[in-house]
Amino acid sequence: MESHQSHNNNIVPILSICLLLHFSSLFVPAASYTLPDHYFINCGSSSSRFVYQRNFTADGNSGGRSAQDATLSADELYQTARVFTKSSSYDLNLDQDGTYVVRLHFFPFPSIGILSDARFDVSAAGFLLLRNFSVGNGGRYSFPLVEEFLVKVGAGKFKIEFKPDKNPSFAFVNAIEAFLAPPDFVQDSPPSVTRDGSGGNYDGVLHGALHVVHRINVGGGDVLRDSDTMLRSWIPDDAYLFLKNVSRNKTYGDVIKYQNGGGGATEFDAPDSVYNTAKEMDVGSDGNSLTNFNISWRFEVGKGAQHLVRLHFCDIVSRTTNEFFRMNLFIYSGFSQEVYPWGMISELAAPFYMDYVVLSDDSGFMNISVGPNKDSRVQTAFLNGLEIMELLGARVPVSEGGNTARKSLFIIVGSCVGGVVLVVVFTLLLLCLRKRKVKGVQALEWPLVPLHVGSSDHSRTTVRTSVTGSPFADLNLGLKIPLSGIIFATRQFDKKMMIGEGGFGKVYKGMLRNGTKVAIKRSEPGHGQGLPEFHTEIKVLSKIRHHHLVSLIGYCDERNEMILVYEFMENGTLREHLYTLQGEAKTTAPTCQFSWDQRLKICIGAAKGIHYLHTGSTGTIIHRDIKSTNILLDENYVAKVADFGLSRSGPLDQTHVSTEVKGSFGYLDPEYFRCLQLTQKSDVYSFGVVLLEVLCARPAIDPSLPREQVNLADWGLSWQRKGQMESIVDPFLVGKINSNSLRKFGETVEKCLQECGADRPNMVDVVWDLEYCLQLQHSAVPRQPYEDSTTEVSWGLPMPALQRLPSDVDEDESLHDSFSITNSSQLNATEVFSQLNMDGAR
């Protein structure tokens, strides 16, 4: 491995990273093709990793900057990255001409930098693969993003270049794959299709690069990279269907009969898991369809662009023979093609595919359908898989060497001419802008539900504040999701998809086009929170990431909508599991079936999330609305803090923020309410109320109760000070809580609910106390005199020095791993302080 600096025309320095790995594969027919071992590169690492059945070789100290974070991903491939602040490249030496699969892996973590700052171009062999690229464009900030391309290149140097958009932007990559595809993997001249019909053949598919946009396993589930013959990922088709009740999934349990060399598909075109599942029309006992509707899918694509569409077929639906079976394929409304499986492969369960180059229209969507053919004896249709790849255009010539003086002259002359042209164009543009009128929003192809129309149709993120006149320039525009995608995900805001309603508006369950389940919050007038809270939520969540914070997937601000898209939390809010409101009088009843262990773990998780907010690398963030409805539970009942619309941020050394009072009644810090000074300890107070909710399974404010019981904080504290917390626990927990654990929990609640904020603990101390409560629940440690919060005995005892080690705020592991105990006396631990016998206890 070799690192060197090169100069392009002595003007722009380019860092070139030479990876001298050797390709020694020989030309072989598709039937004997094997997946190559190179190139698979673990970027930014000094060690290799065996992932996805391949050894990803370390790029070593190859230039740029190496970034590493071993805590944020279970997948070792995404724990390192190579970061570039100027144009840089990987130079690969290829021994053979052919079509190469190029995959670029991106997974941002905090030590790389702020996600919105990473905007860059990526080119390979002269093709511009990604332009002004941001990982946020994929709408999957919490997950790795893999961009895949097919590029036809000749033997020799193969350059993959990363170019930051502008200062202070940067580029990064976590891993790279570049390997030879099977021979004839892509045909150069497939039929051409427009919205209005066929356009002959398209000549020159391989003159440009192909960018994989969709790869769908029709009728089946997810196909992971480990189980695919070319290390691809496939996702289910259900999210793209027009009507789900006109089709059904079909699964085949026998052997797929690949026709290697016989005109059919090979196992490298698609794996068994694609060909042994299909979506077929809903048919009766006679094999004929029970519906008059075709099976139709709708895919989001680039507007006015050429796309290679590959449709995978394998007849696993016919019972005996398909000699008399025909069906129709439709692309958009103007193109239809008869599909005759017997004419392609005269055998059942033998796969084949059909390629078309399709010119998309200006809608940004592509419609594909299969349906019965009127001349067929059996009236049905099916599809097994589908791939859509955008053609990126012709190669841009890249010079390698030549007469430097002549190049410099061309550059100087070109710059002068370009400057003159730029001035003329700029002048004309200014003249046009003076006359330009604002155009209405382009009509969509389906009827919309009523949208929240205001005085302007332009994007809210471009609005300037009335006070400062400054735009919201720090919003992460890479996370924007088009309104059409939101409408698709929520089925046009179907009421059946609504799962809740809060201070921001209604919340819908949805599924994005890539199959990701999401929760979608749509703002509505009169709900109290508006544009400032919308911007705050985006700015806060685009800069932070933690296992116990709900991740922001994206947002939409088209047509005066304010929509936030989050990761979907399968088990809803914490409050839903604690109690329910009953009847018109809104009396409450506990419904929680969680054990004390489960409740403590949920509290610990939420506390860790709040601690990260208070101490994270982006500065102090005060949530300001901690409550049980803003603590959500995922499918494993892991707690995550949500709803950052009221959050305030500031430097770590700032003691308080003077601001108007906002929050939820019953959880408000009384000191904040009196003095209008918001601190981290305000969140601690609110969390103390949540702890009581968890213990008692009742709301923070319950007007149906007697006066002294209405306010949970006051009522709970009164019992704690009497030393009788067992009297108010959830009936489900009676007799199930270790008395020492309950005592420590009550003390923690009391400390959190102190009247003066300075007397309350920090969240890291709350985490320690809760983890100690969990340990006490499983121990038989007797209560000692110096453990009582009302005595000062413990202060007179010699004890070891407790050292708090620096902790990485991005970690979500137990905080007791960041502490150590150092003996400073001759006494052993059992003679000194019984709490030190518990790992991580205080």
Side-chain angles (χ1 to χ4, degrees):
M1 190 165 299
E2 177 183 343
S3 175
H4 65 273
Q5 293 272 356
S6 65
H7 295 273
N8 183 16
N9 304 327
N10 297 321
I11 295 178
V12 182
I14 297 181
L15 173 65
S16 182
I17 304 165
C18 252
L19 301 175
L20 302 178
L21 302 174
H22 188 63
F23 242 150
S24 59
S25 60
L26 300 175
F27 180 79
V28 290
S32 58
Y33 170 85
T34 56
L35 189 69
D37 292 327
H38 298 108
Y39 288 95
F40 295 88
I41 306 168
N42 186 16
C43 301
S45 176
S46 58
S47 59
S48 300
R49 303 287 187 188
F50 191 81
V51 186
Y52 305 134
Q53 307 172 27
R54 285 296 177 274
N55 186 44
F56 281 73
T57 306
D59 65 355
N61 186 18
S62 307
R65 177 171 65 87
S66 174
Q68 182 172 1
D69 195 321
T71 65
L72 293 179
S73 173
D75 194 332
E76 294 178 340
L77 194 62
Y78 300 113
Q79 293 179 2
T80 62
R82 181 68 59 186
V83 181
F84 309 106
T85 56
K86 58 183 178 181
S87 294
S88 308
S89 68
Y90 285 82
D91 293 344
L92 315 180
N93 292 325
L94 307 183
D95 283 354
Q96 185 178 341
D97 298 349
T99 299
Y100 283 79
V101 177
V102 177
R103 294 193 187 109
L104 307 173
H105 298 249
F106 303 99
F107 183 58
F109 42 76
S111 58
I112 292 179
I114 299 175
L115 174 63
S116 58
D117 288 344
R119 293 187 177 276
F120 51 95
D121 296 343
V122 182
S123 60
F127 295 109
L128 183 59
L129 304 183
L130 298 171
R131 182 193 298 273
N132 194 27
F133 174 74
S134 169
V135 175
N137 289 339
R140 293 181 290 174
Y141 171 62
S142 300
F143 311 98
L145 179 61
V146 181
E147 297 289 351
E148 180 175 327
F149 306 87
L150 295 173
V151 185
K152 184 176 182 180
V153 293
K157 181 183 292 185
F158 181 53
K159 180 188 292 290
I160 304 176
E161 184 175 6
F162 298 82
K163 183 179 180 181
D165 182 47
K166 58 183 178 179
N167 288 330
S169 186
F170 61 91
F172 75 96
V173 63
N174 300 81
I176 296 175
E177 300 172 58
F179 58 88
L180 186 66
D184 301 320
F185 191 63
V186 177
Q187 300 298 319
D188 198 40
S189 302
S192 178
V193 174
T194 66
R195 186 183 179 98
D196 299 327
S198 176
N201 281 359
Y202 184 93
D203 187 21
V205 169
L206 295 176
H207 293 173
L210 293 168
H211 181 196
V212 178
V213 179
H214 297 287
R215 182 171 283 134
I216 309 298
N217 183 19
V218 179
D222 290 289
V223 179
L224 302 180
R225 297 193 57 189
D226 284 334
S227 58
D228 181 82
T229 49
M230 295 274 286
L231 305 183
R232 295 161 294 204
S233 295
W234 304 70
I235 64 173
D237 68 304
D238 292 327
Y240 304 92
L241 279 172
F242 267 132
L243 299 172
K244 294 187 177 181
N245 58 353
V246 303
S247 61
R248 66 183 185 184
N249 291 339
K250 175 72 174 180
T251 302
Y252 181 71
D254 211 336
V255 177
I256 300 298
K257 303 168 185 176
Y258 293 101
Q259 304 293 307
N260 293 331
T266 74
E267 59 269 34
F268 296 106
D269 295 313
D272 282 5
S273 45
V274 171
Y275 287 130
N276 63 19
T277 60
K279 190 82 75 182
E280 66 169 328
M281 300 187 71
D282 197 8
V283 296
S285 58
D286 59 355
N288 289 311
S289 173
L290 298 176
T291 177
N292 293 323
F293 294 96
N294 295 331
I295 312 176
S296 299
W297 297 267
R298 186 179 181 89
F299 300 97
E300 190 170 4
V301 295
K303 297 180 180 179
Q306 300 282 5
H307 295 82
L308 177 65
V309 178
R310 174 165 292 184
L311 301 133
H312 295 270
F313 298 95
C314 184
D315 190 354
I316 59 173
V317 303
S318 296
R319 299 176 181 177
T320 55
T321 178
N322 60 7
E323 184 176 357
F324 305 105
F325 168 57
R326 301 172 188 268
M327 61 181 174
N328 290 333
L329 165 70
F330 303 93
I331 301 178
Y332 285 120
S333 57
F335 175 81
S336 65
Q337 173 69 51
E338 180 182 273
V339 179
Y340 183 31
W342 182 269
M344 300 295 295
I345 302 291
S346 56
E347 191 172 1
L348 294 179
F352 63 93
Y353 64 83
M354 301 172 67
D355 281 352
Y356 298 92
V357 172
V358 181
L359 175 63
S360 61
D361 60 18
D362 292 332
S363 69
F365 295 94
M366 184 182 298
N367 304 326
I368 296 175
S369 305
V370 292
N373 184 291
K374 61 182 179 62
D375 297 325
S376 177
R377 292 187 183 180
V378 179
Q379 295 291 292
T380 188
F382 69 89
L383 183 65
N384 301 77
L386 178 143
E387 295 174 272
I388 299 179
M389 305 171 227
E390 183 176 350
L391 277 69
L392 299 183
R395 189 190 308 269
V396 178
V398 178
S399 300
E400 297 290 349
N403 190 304
T404 302
R406 180 175 297 178
K407 292 179 185 177
S408 300
L409 178 60
F410 285 156
I411 291 174
I412 295 171
V413 174
S415 299
C416 294
V417 174
V420 173
V421 172
L422 184 61
V423 171
V424 173
V425 172
F426 185 70
T427 303
L428 293 175
L429 183 61
L430 287 177
L431 293 174
C432 292
L433 287 175
R434 291 181 181 178
K435 299 179 181 181
R436 183 178 178 183
K437 295 181 180 180
V438 177
K439 295 182 179 181
V441 176
Q442 181 181 3
L444 300 177
E445 292 190 355
W446 53 67
L448 295 179
V449 294
L451 299 179
H452 310 140
V453 180
S455 59
S456 173
D457 280 340
H458 64 279
S459 171
R460 287 177 177 266
T461 55
T462 63
V463 178
R464 296 176 178 269
T465 64
S466 58
V467 178
T468 65
S470 62
F472 291 95
D474 52 348
L475 285 186
N476 188 349
L477 301 180
L479 294 176
K480 290 188 70 172
I481 297 176
L483 181 58
S484 59
I486 303 295
I487 293 174
F488 174 91
T490 60
R491 300 176 189 170
Q492 301 186 39
F493 298 106
D494 189 342
K495 291 182 179 179
K496 296 179 182 178
M497 304 290 285
M498 197 173 79
I499 56 176
E501 191 167 3
F504 188 81
K506 294 179 179 178
V507 183
Y508 298 81
K509 178 181 179 180
M511 181 178 289
L512 300 180
R513 298 184 189 280
N514 61 9
T516 303
K517 289 183 180 180
V518 292
I520 297 174
K521 287 170 54 174
R522 185 191 189 196
S523 174
E524 288 194 343
H527 274 68
Q529 297 184 25
L531 185 60
E533 290 80 10
F534 178 67
H535 285 150
T536 297
E537 189 93 355
I538 299 170
K539 287 189 287 187
V540 169
L541 283 179
S542 64
K543 296 178 181 179
I544 60 176
R545 184 176 173 279
H546 191 270
H547 183 57
H548 292 291
L549 300 179
V550 173
S551 296
L552 178 70
I553 302 297
Y555 69 94
C556 175
D557 63 345
E558 295 177 27
R559 295 169 64 96
N560 271 13
E561 288 281 334
M562 293 188 298
I563 298 172
L564 297 166
V565 183
Y566 303 88
E567 65 174 314
F568 183 71
M569 302 297 286
E570 198 75 40
N571 284 303
T573 69
L574 172 59
R575 193 188 75 173
E576 293 169 356
H577 295 273
L578 295 177
Y579 52 85
T580 56
L581 299 177
Q582 298 178 336
E584 293 297 322
K586 293 188 179 298
T587 57
T588 62
T591 59
C592 189
Q593 299 296 306
F594 288 163
S595 67
W596 184 235
D597 266 24
Q598 288 176 293
R599 301 192 199 201
L600 285 175
K601 289 175 182 177
I602 289 170
C603 292
I604 290 168
K608 288 181 179 180
I610 301 170
H611 168 63
Y612 174 81
L613 290 176
H614 291 178
T615 61
S617 58
T618 59
T620 300
I621 297 174
I622 305 172
H623 188 281
R624 203 162 46 153
D625 200 18
I626 297 295
K627 55 184 178 181
S628 56
T629 53
N630 285 340
I631 297 173
L632 306 184
L633 307 176
D634 69 7
E635 68 272 20
N636 298 315
Y637 294 94
V638 173
K640 300 191 179 188
V641 179
D643 199 343
F644 298 82
L646 300 182
S647 299
R648 291 296 300 268
S649 58
L652 287 172
D653 59 353
Q654 187 168 297
T655 58
H656 70 271
V657 178
S658 297
T659 179
E660 62 180 320
V661 175
K662 287 189 177 182
S664 298
F665 192 60
Y667 300 86
L668 276 176
D669 171 16
E671 186 178 63
Y672 168 42
F673 188 83
R674 290 193 308 268
C675 307
L676 306 184
Q677 292 185 345
L678 181 67
T679 71
Q680 297 176 24
K681 299 302 181 67
S682 300
D683 283 349
V684 175
Y685 182 92
S686 301
F687 188 70
V689 180
V690 172
L691 293 179
L692 279 177
E693 281 189 88
V694 170
L695 177 68
C696 305
R698 56 146 289 185
I701 298 293
D702 192 345
S704 66
L705 296 175
R707 182 175 179 180
E708 67 275 10
Q709 300 180 25
V710 170
N711 187 296
L712 176 60
D714 294 339
W715 182 62
L717 275 179
S718 66
W719 286 100
Q720 164 62 20
R721 287 164 180 162
K722 288 187 288 187
Q724 300 178 17
M725 287 292 277
E726 64 274 7
S727 301
I728 62 171
V729 299
D730 180 358
F732 179 79
L733 294 177
V734 172
K736 300 177 183 179
I737 306 179
N738 181 297
S739 58
N740 288 322
S741 178
L742 180 60
R743 173 184 53 79
K744 187 63 180 178
F745 188 87
E747 292 174 359
T748 304
V749 170
E750 184 175 14
K751 288 187 289 185
C752 290
L753 298 180
Q754 289 297 303
E755 189 77 6
C756 178
D759 296 331
R760 300 172 199 151
N762 293 317
M763 284 307 302
V764 65
D765 299 311
V766 176
V767 173
W768 269 72
D769 289 342
L770 292 175
E771 289 188 331
Y772 187 37
C773 291
L774 184 61
Q775 293 168 358
L776 286 173
Q777 176 67 10
H778 300 282
S779 70
V781 176
R783 181 174 180 174
Q784 303 293 336
Y786 46 78
E787 289 186 277
D788 196 318
S789 59
T790 61
T791 180
E792 297 294 329
V793 173
S794 63
W795 294 111
L797 295 174
M799 57 185 295
L802 195 64
Q803 295 181 333
R804 183 175 298 172
L805 303 178
S807 61
D808 183 352
V809 296
D810 294 324
E811 295 182 0
D812 55 19
E813 299 176 358
S814 299
L815 290 180
H816 62 70
D817 292 336
S818 297
F819 291 76
S820 67
I821 299 173
T822 305
N823 287 328
S824 60
S825 71
Q826 300 301 315
L827 298 177
N828 61 44
T830 56
E831 293 174 307
V832 178
F833 191 25
S834 65
Q835 286 187 339
L836 295 182
N837 286 324
M838 315 305 296
D839 290 341
R842 297 173 64 83

